[in-house]
């Protein structure tokens, strides 16, 4: 639609070549004036409105995080949480304690209790269905540690790109690019995990499977039997004691030199709502075809975490070395009449929809970019200089990334579960293809006093 309209009489110079142009003056005299209107667009540009906040995740179970590393605190707003769910600060604090800094020598020495407080959305110990406000105060800020970094950019950090995008940035602690922002993910992730566990017995467990050159062999960990206690049995969160010691030694080696290393976190999902539906009349897979594939949603969630550089599900990139006959997961019917797969190279997801097998994925984290070694960089005035970054930072982020990964997986599954109910639970199911997955009957426990 034109922003302004101007009327002008269409005048054509007489032509002597017999073309239409020579007739236009006569036509003009026969038509009311003005006889032709031309729309002329104003050269004044319209006001451009851009909505690019980027701090909200999810559609049905929606989380918005706020706060900065060296501000007054950080937190989140959880919108769309179902009502009547028993909830207290203690439900979130367990995972927040796993995420908090200063928990061992291989993490940042910053001392924060990360004690959370619920300010709304919970009444008399249960959720009300209204937005839940969670806040965690910052208590151990040291803004003066970032004086050099207010002038010079840290290599491979977000300092330069934040300045280029916004023209201003929070210098102390990296602002929103700090991993402290993930408190606002871990807290609602704990809520999602509790609901998924209560709803379908879903378990989400992550662990460190690689630190620098120390790689945990895939066959060492039994994903069917893995427990949280195994993961939390050491400070690096690797369930195998032998490889855990090797990983800790690798982190210690670079920590004393003021350097850093990266690694890989593996995450599994057991009893995805497609599998265990003892609380449902029927069950389906999570995810949908095309743009909202479950692995696509998981990839976005994982790659939104700080320092992430790669994501794989199932066979991942290694699957490219196999043929179709080697890679395909053949179907069979188990003793309970359920359709299962003999292998799980699909990683529990086929066609973008969970198939009932264990979902497994791997997330790669780069070495921490803020290190205590001299590096070449430039200032905000574009002058070349050298920088030795100060402050308190993790020599390797993966031990503390474990609860962050679990949280983001839980947020994806919770959102997808609510989407599934919104779309597919309005009408009766097709009993020939859809139904409750049959589980083995358990004998009642024999308690002796």
């Amino acid at each position: 639609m034109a922003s302004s309209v101007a009327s002008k009489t269409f005048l054509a110079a007489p032509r002597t070549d017999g073309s239409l142009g020579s007739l236009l003056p006569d036509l003009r005299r026969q038509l009311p004036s003005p006889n032709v209107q031309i729309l002329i667009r104003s050269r004044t540009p319209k006001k451009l409105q851009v909505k690019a906040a980027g701090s909200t995740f999810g559609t049905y179970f929606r989380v918005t995080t706020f706060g900065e590393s060296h501000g007054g605190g950080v937190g989140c707003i959880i919108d769309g949480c179902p009502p009547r769910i028993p909830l207290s600060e203690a439900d979130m604090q367990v995972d927040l304690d796993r995420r908090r800094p200063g928990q061992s020598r291989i993490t940042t020495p910053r001392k924060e209790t990360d004690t959370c407080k619920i300010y709304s959305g919970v009444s008399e110990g249960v959720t009300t269905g209204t937005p839940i406000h969670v806040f965690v105060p910052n208590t151990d800020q040291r803004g003066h540690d970032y004086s050099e970094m207010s002038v010079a950019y840290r290599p491979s950090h977000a300092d330069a790109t934040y300045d280029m995008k916004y023209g201003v940035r929070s210098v102390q602690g990296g602002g929103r690019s700090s991993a402290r922002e993930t408190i606002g993910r871990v807290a609602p992730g704990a809520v999602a995990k509790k609901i998924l566990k209560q709803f379908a017995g879903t378990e989400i467990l992550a662990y460190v499977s690689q630190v620098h050159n120390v790689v945990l062999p895939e066959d060492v960990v039994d994903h069917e039997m893995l427990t949280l206690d195994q993961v939390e049995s050491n400070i690096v969160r690797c369930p195998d004691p032998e490889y855990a010691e090797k990983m800790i030694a690798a982190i210690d080696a670079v920590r004393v030199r003021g350097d850093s290393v990266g690694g890989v976190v593996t995450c599994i999902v057991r009893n995805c709502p497609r599998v265990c539906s003892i609380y449902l009349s029927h069950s389906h897979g999570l995810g949908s075809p095309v743009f909202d594939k479950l692995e696509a949603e998981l990839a976005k969630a994982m790659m939104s975490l700080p320092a992430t550089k790669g994501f794989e599900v199932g066979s991942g990139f290694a699957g490219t070395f196999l043929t179709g006959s080697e890679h395909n997961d053949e179907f069979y019917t188990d003793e309970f009449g359920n359709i299962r797969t003999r292998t799980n190279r699909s990683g529990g997801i086929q066609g973008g929809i969970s198939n009932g097998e264990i979902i497994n994925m791997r997330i790669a984290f780069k070495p921490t970019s803020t290190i205590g070694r001299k590096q070449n960089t430039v200032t905000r005035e574009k002058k070349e200089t050298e920088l030795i970054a100060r402050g308190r930072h993790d020599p390797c982020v993966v031990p503390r990334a474990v609860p962050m990964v679990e949280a983001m997986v839980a947020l994806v599954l919770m959102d997808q579960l609510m989407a599934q109910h919104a779309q597919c639970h309005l009408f009766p199911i097709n009993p020939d293809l859809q139904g409750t997955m049959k589980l083995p009957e358990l004998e009642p426990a024999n308690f002796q006093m």
Side-chain angles (χ1 to χ4, degrees):
M1 180 177 181
S3 57
S4 64
V5 176
S7 298
K8 289 189 177 181
T9 302
F10 187 85
L11 300 177
R15 303 274 300 267
T16 60
D17 57 0
S19 65
L20 181 61
S22 62
L23 301 176
L24 287 177
D26 294 332
L27 290 174
R28 179 175 58 83
R29 286 191 291 268
Q30 297 174 17
L31 294 173
S33 180
N35 57 349
V36 180
Q37 291 187 338
I38 299 177
L39 298 181
I40 302 177
R41 296 184 181 274
S42 170
R43 294 184 179 180
T44 304
K46 295 181 180 180
K47 291 183 178 180
L48 181 63
Q49 294 182 347
V50 180
K51 297 180 180 180
S55 293
T56 299
F57 183 85
T59 302
Y60 303 92
F61 192 86
R62 189 164 55 252
V63 173
T64 300
T65 70
F66 62 84
E68 297 172 342
S69 175
H70 281 58
V74 294
C76 66
I77 302 293
I78 309 169
D79 200 4
C81 181
R84 302 182 303 279
I85 303 294
L87 185 67
S88 68
E89 286 91 348
D91 293 313
M92 307 179 192
Q93 199 60 54
V94 173
D95 279 348
L96 288 174
D97 288 344
R98 297 170 67 207
R99 194 222 71 93
R100 70 175 177 84
Q103 56 186 271
S104 73
R105 71 176 188 270
I106 62 173
T107 65
T108 170
R110 179 171 175 170
K111 297 296 182 182
E112 296 277 1
T113 61
D114 285 354
T115 303
C116 69
K117 178 70 174 177
I118 299 175
Y119 284 96
S120 68
V122 176
S123 178
E124 297 182 349
V126 297
T127 58
T128 61
T130 58
I132 301 171
H133 175 200
V134 183
F135 183 73
V136 172
N138 294 328
T139 60
D140 189 25
Q141 308 98 312
R142 293 183 188 175
H144 60 274
D145 285 347
Y146 294 84
S147 56
E148 294 94 344
M149 288 170 272
S150 66
V151 178
Y153 295 128
R154 287 172 285 180
S156 289
H157 206 278
D159 298 342
T161 51
Y162 270 46
D163 265 356
M164 293 172 187
K165 179 176 177 65
Y166 299 108
V168 65
R169 63 185 168 95
S170 176
V171 174
Q172 290 80 11
R176 291 290 284 168
S177 66
S178 169
R180 191 149 183 77
E181 175 270 336
T182 60
I183 286 175
R185 307 168 186 238
V186 172
V191 178
K193 285 201 288 185
K194 179 173 184 175
I195 297 173
L196 290 166
K197 180 73 172 179
Q198 177 181 339
F199 181 84
T202 302
E203 294 179 286
I204 302 170
L205 289 171
Y207 62 90
V208 175
S209 56
Q210 179 180 340
V211 168
H212 199 211
N213 294 325
V214 181
V215 182
L216 180 69
E218 290 187 7
D219 58 353
V220 170
V221 179
D222 184 353
H223 288 170
E224 295 279 358
M225 305 301 296
L226 180 66
T227 66
L228 180 61
D229 288 340
Q230 288 177 303
V231 174
E232 295 295 316
S233 64
N234 54 74
I235 60 176
V236 78
R237 294 197 167 96
C238 173
D240 183 82
E242 178 185 351
Y243 279 88
E245 290 301 319
K246 295 178 181 179
M247 293 177 182
I248 294 171
I251 297 174
D252 279 335
V254 297
R255 176 178 61 86
V256 298
R257 301 198 306 265
D259 215 336
S260 64
V261 290
V264 175
V265 172
T266 295
C267 187
I268 65 165
V269 180
R270 289 196 299 247
N271 295 339
C272 186
R274 167 63 179 89
V275 182
C276 184
S277 54
I278 57 177
Y279 305 101
L280 297 174
S281 61
H282 57 280
S283 63
H284 305 279
L286 300 188
S288 57
V290 194
F291 298 112
D292 296 330
K293 289 181 169 68
L294 183 56
E295 64 262 52
E297 297 298 309
L298 289 168
K300 177 182 178 180
M302 296 305 107
M303 296 304 291
S304 74
L305 286 169
T308 51
K309 286 298 179 184
F311 173 81
E312 291 185 331
V313 62
S315 62
F317 288 97
T320 63
F321 295 101
L322 304 178
T323 63
S325 59
E326 294 170 327
H327 188 271
N328 287 345
D329 297 316
E330 295 183 345
F331 291 109
Y332 75 100
T333 303
D334 67 14
E335 64 270 31
F336 306 106
N338 302 309
I339 297 176
R340 303 290 302 276
T341 61
R342 298 189 184 280
T343 54
N344 191 23
R345 299 183 186 92
S346 300
I349 303 173
Q350 293 174 329
I353 301 171
S354 60
N355 65 1
E357 304 299 333
I358 291 177
I359 298 174
N360 66 79
M361 66 203 84
R362 292 168 298 284
I363 305 92
F365 290 82
K366 70 182 179 71
T368 314
S369 56
T370 307
I371 59 176
R373 303 190 69 172
K374 184 184 296 185
Q375 298 181 94
N376 295 319
T377 185
V378 298
T379 67
R380 300 177 90 172
E381 289 73 34
K382 302 181 180 179
K383 295 181 180 179
E384 294 186 359
T385 186
E386 293 180 337
L387 173 68
I388 299 179
R390 294 193 294 166
R392 298 158 295 174
H393 306 279
D394 294 88
C396 181
V397 300
V398 291
R400 292 177 59 212
V402 166
M404 303 177 198
V405 168
E406 291 177 356
M408 292 308 296
V409 171
L411 292 179
V412 169
L413 295 183
M414 188 67 211
D415 200 49
Q416 289 293 314
L417 180 61
M418 295 179 75
Q420 174 67 27
H421 274 262
Q423 181 185 24
C424 299
H425 286 195
L426 295 177
F427 300 99
I429 65 169
N430 179 349
D432 293 331
L433 299 176
Q434 300 169 292
T436 303
M437 189 162 184
K438 299 176 182 178
L439 300 174
E441 295 184 2
L442 302 178
E443 296 182 359
N446 183 18
F447 294 102
Q448 297 182 352
M449 301 297 293

